[in-house]
Amino acid sequence: MSRYAVRTAVLPSTSQRLKFVVEGETLQVVPEVRSFVLSLSAAGKSVNTISTYVPKIAAFLNWADETPLTDWRTVTVPQLTRFKWSLEAPQPTTEGSYEAPAGRSDATVGLYLTAVVEFLRYCARSDYIDPTTVNRLVEPRYLGHVPASFDPGENGQFRFKLVKQLRTKPVQHRPKTLAPAAVKAVTDATLNPRDRFLIELLNATGIRIGEALGLRREDMHFLPTSINLGCEIAGPHIHIVRRKDNENYAFGKARKSRHVPVEPSLVRTYSRYQAERTRLVNADSDYVFVNLYKGRIGAPYTYSAAMAAIRGLRSRALVPNLHPHLFRHTRATAWIEEGVERDVVQDLLGHAVAASTAVYTHPSPKTLRDAVDRGRIGGAE
Ligand SMILES: [Zn+2]
């Protein structure tokens, strides 16, 4: 049975329902926490903010109470680091549950540490504890000039910086990708040759949806050689050209122009779309993607119209999280896994900085599996 528990009480002066920490069987309100809560309330913090702080402080008090040689009033960096680890450790699940127990996310752990350190800072200011306790936990944050409107942030996160050991790292998740079966389902679920070409183009080249919608017919160098067009790049490819006059606001984000090679199968899909386009409209629009079925026929296919089509694909292909950017993540990840050099992938994606490409180099579960499997085969010989 934990020593500290959270209870709600109505504050007579403001009628706010605030959380407090009570202690032992007598349910005595812990005076330091009470004082801290009232100071937050007086400082205009919302009941919600206070409600998120208090249980985290209670968890800290219980942890210190149950950890030998630990007193919350004199907590040290190594001790608070162990508290942090206890938060990150897998949590027991309710009985009968077969869910894999998971630790708290870095963001949640960060909220715990913020609440605890805010509480300890308050205790130091109010002479409940020795200020050196807190000074060990935080680094001073020097602001040469503090503007009058300086906002310390909802959680006061700009007023102090935890020492390095206590900081939670902002995790870089591997971008989500589409499984090959999902790509096929989406492609098969397209309703017309134009949308099929759009999906296959996004999937094959990893270009941004805005770049695709901004493509002009002159950017499609789909012949085996484009010498006649004044381009010396061999094989079929598309050019992503930085333009400022895109009528449909499909403004390429890339700062410089680039080209992306494509497979012959994409060229065939483009031919089928071109045949459909010629059959339906006599549009001399320079844009590759134009309205053929809805809206002003022959006008550039807009982002919102393309997104409406993609929303339709979500339900028909049973890929509820489908988003054009998923194709980009999928293509980039595939290139990295196929061994394409990182700076080449950066060029293909049109990333201005290498850091944007680096997220794709986190090994995927499949890469790790393959590495283990290779090791096993090697070991058996
Ligand atoms: Zn070219």
Side-chain angles (χ1 to χ4, degrees):
M1 203 44 205
S2 296
R3 180 167 164 190
Y4 297 97
V6 176
R7 289 287 182 278
T8 303
V10 178
L11 210 61
S13 56
T14 62
S15 312
Q16 282 178 311
R17 289 177 61 81
L18 292 176
K19 284 183 174 159
F20 294 93
V21 177
V22 294
E23 182 183 356
E25 288 171 10
T26 56
L27 302 181
Q28 283 283 333
V29 172
V30 177
E32 293 92 339
V33 181
R34 177 180 183 276
S35 195
F36 177 58
V37 166
L38 294 179
S39 81
L40 291 176
S41 175
K45 294 278 186 194
S46 73
V47 172
N48 276 344
T49 301
I50 299 170
S51 297
T52 63
Y53 271 35
V54 173
K56 294 175 176 66
I57 295 165
F60 166 67
L61 296 178
N62 278 323
W63 170 84
D65 183 52
E66 289 155 16
T67 306
L69 303 174
T70 306
D71 179 349
W72 72 262
R73 289 179 178 80
T74 57
V75 71
T76 63
V77 173
Q79 288 170 341
L80 203 54
T81 306
R82 281 196 288 279
F83 174 61
K84 183 186 167 200
W85 290 341
S86 77
L87 296 171
E88 289 164 343
Q91 304 298 310
T93 52
T94 47
E95 228 174 316
S97 163
Y98 291 93
E99 279 171 60
R104 293 180 178 85
S105 72
D106 280 357
T108 304
V109 171
L111 289 176
Y112 271 84
L113 294 174
T114 301
V116 167
V117 173
E118 275 282 6
F119 171 61
L120 293 174
R121 280 160 52 86
Y122 172 79
C123 289
R125 285 199 302 275
S126 309
D127 287 331
Y128 287 122
I129 65 170
D130 187 342
T132 54
T133 300
V134 174
N135 293 342
R136 283 194 297 257
L137 306 175
V138 296
E139 287 167 5
R141 193 189 150 93
Y142 297 108
L143 292 167
H145 168 72
V146 181
S149 61
F150 177 69
D151 176 5
E154 172 74 5
N155 297 314
Q157 64 267 48
F158 303 126
R159 275 182 281 163
F160 64 85
K161 200 174 173 188
L162 291 169
V163 295
K164 208 171 173 203
Q165 297 99 297
L166 294 174
R167 270 178 245 156
T168 50
K169 52 183 181 302
V171 271
Q172 286 221 319
H173 292 287
R174 271 184 78 249
K176 289 201 166 38
T177 57
L178 288 165
V183 173
K184 184 173 187 309
V186 171
T187 311
D188 290 348
T190 51
L191 295 177
N192 56 64
R194 179 199 57 197
D195 290 349
R196 187 181 181 103
F197 175 63
L198 175 62
I199 293 300
E200 288 194 17
L201 175 72
L202 293 175
N203 181 54
T205 61
I207 63 174
R208 302 172 177 98
I209 178 83
E211 290 171 339
L213 299 178
L215 282 171
R216 310 298 166 83
R217 294 207 267 191
E218 70 205 39
D219 301 334
M220 319 299 277
H221 287 182
F222 274 180
L223 296 170
T225 168
S226 304
I227 293 274
N228 292 344
L229 302 169
C231 173
E232 296 191 350
I233 297 164
H237 59 274
I238 60 168
H239 288 267
I240 308 296
V241 182
R242 179 93 173 140
R243 293 187 180 92
K244 286 188 176 164
D245 60 338
N246 272 348
E247 194 184 319
N248 61 359
Y249 307 106
F251 195 68
K253 204 178 160 193
R255 248 171 260 165
K256 52 179 187 178
S257 301
R258 68 185 194 277
H259 81 272
V260 184
V262 301
E263 303 272 340
S265 62
L266 185 71
V267 178
R268 286 194 291 275
T269 312
Y270 182 59
S271 302
R272 280 194 289 276
Y273 165 46
Q274 287 303 293
E276 170 96 339
R277 175 177 164 152
T278 312
R279 185 176 68 82
L280 287 173
V281 295
N282 189 13
D284 46 8
S285 168
D286 204 21
Y287 281 86
V288 169
F289 291 99
V290 294
N291 291 339
L292 294 183
Y293 315 97
K294 276 188 211 165
R296 189 158 60 87
I297 304 302
Y301 198 21
T302 61
Y303 176 79
S304 58
M307 282 307 293
I310 284 168
R311 279 194 296 277
L313 290 171
R314 282 180 195 160
S315 46
R316 284 199 303 283
L318 302 177
V319 182
N321 63 345
L322 183 67
H323 188 276
H325 230 65
L326 269 176
F327 293 107
R328 186 166 165 83
H329 295 327
T330 305
R331 178 51 49 211
T333 303
W335 277 329
I336 292 286
E337 292 192 347
E338 286 160 13
V340 179
E341 296 288 339
R342 200 198 282 196
D343 54 349
V344 175
V345 174
Q346 184 184 337
D347 281 355
L348 288 167
L349 294 173
H351 280 153
V353 293
S356 306
T357 315
V359 296
Y360 298 111
T361 60
H362 293 283
S364 69
K366 183 181 178 300
T367 305
L368 295 174
R369 179 77 254 163
D370 290 350
V372 169
D373 289 347
R374 273 199 305 277
R376 196 170 289 158
I377 292 163
E381 281 168 354

